Amino acid sequence: MATITKPASAPEIKQTQCFIGGEWVPAASGKTFETINPATEEVITTVAEGDAKDVDLAVKAAREAFDSGPWRKMDARDRGRLMHKLADLIEDDIDELARLETLDNGKPIREARHGDLPLVVDCLRYYAGWADKIHGQTIPVRGNYFCYTKREPVGVVGQIIPWNFPMLMAAWKWGPALAAGCTIVMKPAEQTPLTCLRMARLAQKAGIPDGVINVVPGYGPTAGASIVKHPGVDKVAFTGEYKTAQIIMKDASQTLKRLTFELGGKSPNIIFADSDLDAAAAGTHMGLYLNQGQCCCAGSRVFVEEKVHDKLIDKLAAMNKSRKVGDPFDPNTEQGAQVDKAQFDKIMSYVEAGKKAGAKCVTGGKRVGDKGYFIEPTLFDDVQDDMSIATDEIFGPVLSVLKFKDVDEVIQRGNNTFFGLAAAVWTSDVTKAHRLADELRAGTVWVNCYDVFDTAAPFGGFKMSGIGRELGEKGLEAYTENKTVTMSLG
Ligand code: NAI
Ligand code: MG
């Protein structure tokens, strides 16, 4: 085993206040909340607890920056250049930012450093390239008229993000919003506010004008809901739980805000007997346990064709047993801590429910150590479709294996969920692969791979897994309004 080298120093905590109109300010109420290191359960620092008052100030700053600031009117290419600059500054600080992410979130340093952060930089650069490529059409209408369309920024956007990929979720939301010329009020998750605040500082350093990006840390029902209800916000982009999205939809109805949602899933991962079983097992392991199982697209319902079931279980169990769980700052660690006590308790209650319902716990099922929110990689076999571990998003390192016999059956069972975020198929039969890619009701279908993300490829959910798409050109559409101009030619 490689020698363990801990980072020389803990990341410095620099930004803990609200970032409004280019100023770092305490919450108007003076309140703060604690952010915890989930690997040690110790308090890292306290952060300004923004509320309705702070959101109002942030919306005013964003409104002013949109309505009369230089951002929207600036040459699009220059907007792109500032975004490139931000990406460069993040890249310069990549080690420090990865450490800060690991500290606040509990994810392994090697994933933060070599997974999340490079994707953050890539996302900002990709959308920087779009800034000067957003254009309309000329339309051949009847009569003596010249008709054209323009794509204009939607305005002030409220962006509410979760804690599972804190910086990456911020980048997915800032990228298209900035490229389109929108201004932003972001609320990071209360569990993980630190990297988003640091990013805001880097945006300021990059020269992105004051008021274009505002960050109000705080809780969902207070700061989050105030963003959703504020009449000065034109659009809300949200990533998180579908139940929260239901509240947001209601709250946004008063002002008929544009909404995009990227929600959860219970993604079917289907393994046929004719697949490369080693590759399928490795992809299945990564597709569920990545990020401690805290992925919206986790392949948490594994359907395996009966004749290769035993072999697959053996492979999955072996990988779980050798998986390195522990100190997220250890570069060899593959699985860190769950984000907080609430998530830890929720996951453990599903493990108990699975056992009680009669599923067979092949590996794991227990806490690791007695400090920090670590959970053993857990594998359930003999899972039935109606057990809660097969129907609910657990958001933890808990994989459920279900058996199937034929193609029609697995398509029907795979689709039998109100979610529709992702799906995967493992087979060497190209006809079968196409048939499943066609019939599975999900926003993303991976064939003989899992969790392959690219900034250029749209991502989002069918059914209750979301509304709209993020990433790619599709992701940009949500941040523009179409304007039709019709001019008489006399
Ligand atoms: P959540 O949906 O409550 O939180 C996500 C974000 O929404 C946070 O910034 C939160 O402060 C904010 N929020 C909460 N209530 C709000 C409200 N009424 N108005 C506006 N904003 C609000 O998710 P939570 O409670 O952190 O996790 C619960 C479960 O949600 C997880 O166990 C998992 O199943 C799912 N989840 C899914 C995610 C995904 O990527 N699709 C990410 C995070 C959680
Ligand atoms: Mg919640």
Side-chain angles (χ1 to χ4, degrees), residues 131-198:
D132 61 355
K133 297 169 193 69
I134 303 170
H135 47 69
Q137 297 173 310
T138 56
I139 318 272
V141 294
R142 283 187 197 280
N144 200 16
Y145 299 100
F146 172 44
C147 177
Y148 65 93
T149 61
K150 290 180 72 201
R151 285 172 65 198
E152 298 188 356
V154 70
V156 172
V157 299
Q159 302 185 320
I160 300 170
I161 56 170
W163 41 262
N164 51 346
F165 295 93
M167 270 194 90
L168 188 58
M169 291 300 101
W172 281 23
K173 298 226 168 357
W174 288 7
L178 294 175
C182 297
T183 61
I184 294 168
V185 177
M186 171 164 277
K187 194 198 82 64
E190 55 272 28
Q191 295 87 347
T192 54
L194 297 178
T195 44
C196 177
L197 291 168
R198 181 71 65 91

Side-chain angles (χ1 to χ4, degrees), residues 359-431:
K360 182 175 158 200
C361 188
V362 180
T363 68
K366 292 194 292 292
R367 179 178 194 169
V368 177
D370 51 15
K371 207 167 170 221
Y373 307 118
F374 299 93
I375 298 179
E376 290 175 343
T378 301
L379 172 62
F380 275 112
D381 194 9
D382 294 336
V383 177
Q384 305 304 313
D385 294 30
D386 60 353
M387 293 178 182
S388 66
I389 55 169
T391 57
D392 298 3
E393 182 174 50
I394 301 174
F395 233 59
V398 181
L399 189 153
S400 298
V401 176
L402 307 96
K403 283 183 228 167
F404 74 92
K405 283 204 180 100
D406 69 71
V407 181
D408 292 325
E409 172 206 341
V410 81
I411 291 171
Q412 187 274 325
R413 289 170 63 198
N415 282 334
N416 188 20
T417 166
F418 62 76
F419 288 120
L421 191 59
V425 184
W426 300 84
T427 177
S428 56
D429 178 341
V430 75
T431 309

